[in-house]
Amino acid sequence: MSLSSLTPQEIASRLEAATADYEKFASRGLSLDITRGKPSAAQLDLADPLLTAVAPGDTRSADGTDTRNYGGLHGLPELREIFSPLLGVPQAQLLAQGASSLTLMRDALVFMMLHGRPGSSGPWAGEPVRMLCPVPGYDRHFGVAESLGFDLVPVATDAEGPDMEQVATLAGSDPTVKGIWIVPVHSNPTGVSISERRARALMELTAAADDFTVLWDNAYALHHLREPHPEPIDVLGIAAGSGHPDRPLVFASTSKITHAGAGVSFFGASPAMVEWFANHTAAGSIGPDKVNHLRHARFFGSPDGVRDHMRKHAELIAPKFAAVDEVFTRELGPDDLAAWTDPAGGYFITLAVPPGTASHVVKLAAEAGVKLTPAGATHPHGVDPDDAIIRIAPTMPPLEEVAEAAEVVATCVRVAAYESVAAIRA
Ligand SMILES: Cc1ncc(COP(=O)(O)O)c(C=O)c1O
């Protein structure tokens, strides 16, 4: 049954039942939060051996470096060796840095504003800069670009990645379009992994700006919930083969692998771009936290150590995604009230509710004690023109709380959807 085929009487009685369910939840004094994609305490516990992986008197790396001292701007070689095959970046072109990859993205963009980059005719600052933002997308990407004064240009996405016709039209004709955000694997929030075809088209594209840059944020490269895993894409190899070796900048981190606030970030690029990034970084750093790099290298031991560790994460969080799917299927499926993703990895479920109701759903949920990411957060400047997309982050709360929060959200969707269709018909 679809919403449009219901009679006015059916809508009225469903709205009455949904409102009664909502009142019951609202009277419980709940306090649940499914706003941000953070790991749960149980996931963080998995990495606690890190806290004792480096002991007094045992701080030297494999090559004898005393990790407590200054230096080693590129990061500890043995950690870069482990992550090189996992991220598909040759070790010599992979830097290991501080805890946050978002900081590296911001740094790269600031360096471009102040200095330009190989291929630039000059610094970006003082000129208009437009950044393509596939939507739905990651709010902090939009925030970084906005904080630097960039104009954010939404681009539609589908099951293979960004709409390349739109990208080619915008980037091909306008030299102020300087870049695009891409989350290539298990994207935030749609869970989509870009197809090799789209990745290749992005690298081959003839852009009007010679320094058109793809911010390839591989935050969820290893964060699979089930088999099969997306095929890895050799973005640097494709870029080099397409004549645009300096176009992609690869970012990743262990934020959602080990400890979110005390992990290691990675930067990968062409040799020229690595040199450019390292040289500018060197003006403000004598070297990253190599003790933390050593801890991580010892804790994982090998690429397979990382893969095994990520399977333990999946065991903890896959049931939470399944719980949300079960509730939504049961509560929203029969009247076809919404659509939602069933991601094969990453940290989010995207819920698409009837247009014009997302903000109302978020407000109703908040009033019943369930915090959701603000409607619109998945779009540039926080404005979803259809007011239809809600991002659900099920990883952090315990399973029972996730399931309960999903029940509340589904009830709010029911209330908002029946109210909206009743109002349209009135
Ligand atoms: C796509 C994406 N990139 C980057 C980050 C943050 O990464 P980091 O913790 O390394 O700064 C997140 C966190 O949610 C994310 O979803």
Side-chain angles (χ1 to χ4, degrees):
M1 185 77 77
S2 82
L3 201 48
S4 57
S5 61
L6 295 175
T7 64
Q9 292 74 16
E10 284 168 331
I11 289 170
S13 73
R14 279 162 163 79
L15 179 55
E16 198 181 321
T19 307
D21 288 347
Y22 178 77
E23 301 292 333
K24 268 187 244 152
F25 282 121
S27 67
R28 279 200 210 160
L30 297 172
S31 176
L32 305 171
D33 186 337
I34 46 171
T35 52
R36 294 235 66 100
K38 292 184 185 177
S40 63
Q43 288 174 270
L44 298 171
D45 288 348
L46 292 174
D48 272 358
L50 273 176
L51 300 174
T52 48
V54 172
D58 183 24
T59 55
R60 288 190 187 272
S61 66
D63 66 1
T65 301
D66 187 339
T67 55
R68 297 168 305 175
N69 219 328
Y70 273 143
L73 187 73
H74 287 211
L76 208 65
E78 56 249 57
L79 184 65
R80 291 159 56 213
E81 188 182 339
I82 292 173
F83 276 85
S84 162
L86 296 171
L87 298 174
V89 178
Q91 187 185 328
Q93 291 164 238
L94 185 66
L95 308 180
Q97 297 289 293
S100 165
S101 62
L102 197 65
T103 303
L104 300 185
M105 296 173 221
R106 200 262 315 268
D107 284 354
L109 292 172
V110 168
F111 297 156
M112 290 187 211
M113 291 201 70
L114 296 176
H115 312 289
R117 64 130 166 117
S120 297
S121 51
W124 291 7
E127 307 285 333
V129 174
R130 306 178 81 204
M131 187 64 65
L132 304 185
C133 300
V135 291
Y138 176 37
D139 51 356
R140 290 189 195 272
H141 282 165
F142 306 153
V144 168
E146 204 178 353
S147 77
L148 298 173
F150 298 173
D151 187 16
L152 311 183
V153 184
V155 168
T157 53
D158 62 24
E160 274 192 68
D163 178 329
M164 281 311 298
E165 249 179 62
Q166 282 184 29
V167 173
T169 306
L170 290 159
S173 61
D174 179 354
T176 70
V177 172
K178 292 290 202 180
I180 183 169
W181 294 108
I182 295 289
V183 181
V185 178
H186 305 312
S187 156
N188 175 353
T190 60
V192 163
S193 296
I194 195 171
S195 66
E196 173 150 345
R197 206 158 54 123
R198 295 274 170 96
R200 193 171 288 283
L202 260 180
M203 295 306 129
E204 287 174 350
L205 173 79
T206 304
D210 287 337
D211 50 1
F212 180 72
T213 302
V214 175
L215 296 132
W216 186 268
D217 177 5
N218 214 348
Y220 300 103
L222 308 167
H223 306 56
H224 314 299
L225 288 168
R226 58 172 180 257
E227 306 274 354
H229 301 170
E231 281 297 311
I233 294 177
D234 173 17
V235 70
L236 295 178
I238 295 174
S242 309
H244 301 116
D246 300 339
R247 181 169 287 176
L249 303 182
V250 177
F251 301 92
S253 77
T254 67
S255 290
K256 286 158 187 161
I257 296 177
T258 57
H259 290 161
V264 179
S265 60
F266 297 96
F267 174 91
S270 68
M273 290 303 287
V274 168
E275 193 187 343
W276 167 84
F277 188 81
N279 285 345
H280 289 303
T281 300
S285 169
I286 309 173
D289 179 349
K290 296 181 301 304
V291 176
N292 198 29
H293 292 184
L294 182 59
R295 280 189 199 114
H296 279 75
R298 287 184 179 166
F299 174 61
F300 291 125
S302 68
D304 273 340
V306 182
R307 293 187 186 100
D308 290 345
H309 183 75
M310 292 314 287
R311 274 191 278 277
K312 296 181 195 155
H313 277 268
E315 280 167 22
L316 289 172
I317 63 176
K320 299 181 182 182
F321 283 81
V324 175
D325 188 60
E326 187 278 314
V327 171
F328 286 180
T329 304
R330 169 168 36 84
E331 297 297 323
L332 305 177
D335 282 344
D336 209 7
L337 295 185
W340 59 95
T341 55
D342 174 22
Y347 262 54
F348 303 100
I349 293 167
T350 298
L351 174 65
V353 295
T357 67
S359 315
H360 189 39
V361 169
V362 171
K363 186 164 173 280
L364 285 171
E367 286 166 4
V370 175
K371 260 172 112 176
L372 289 169
T373 311
T378 51
H379 287 62
H381 308 298
V383 181
D384 169 5
D386 295 330
D387 190 25
I389 301 296
I390 297 173
R391 184 181 84 169
I392 309 277
T395 56
M396 191 159 98
L399 179 58
E400 319 73 64
E401 287 188 16
V402 171
E404 189 164 36
E407 299 277 2
V408 175
V409 172
T411 305
C412 297
V413 174
R414 286 165 55 217
V415 171
Y418 296 129
E419 267 178 8
S420 142
V421 73
I424 291 167
R425 300 242 190 113

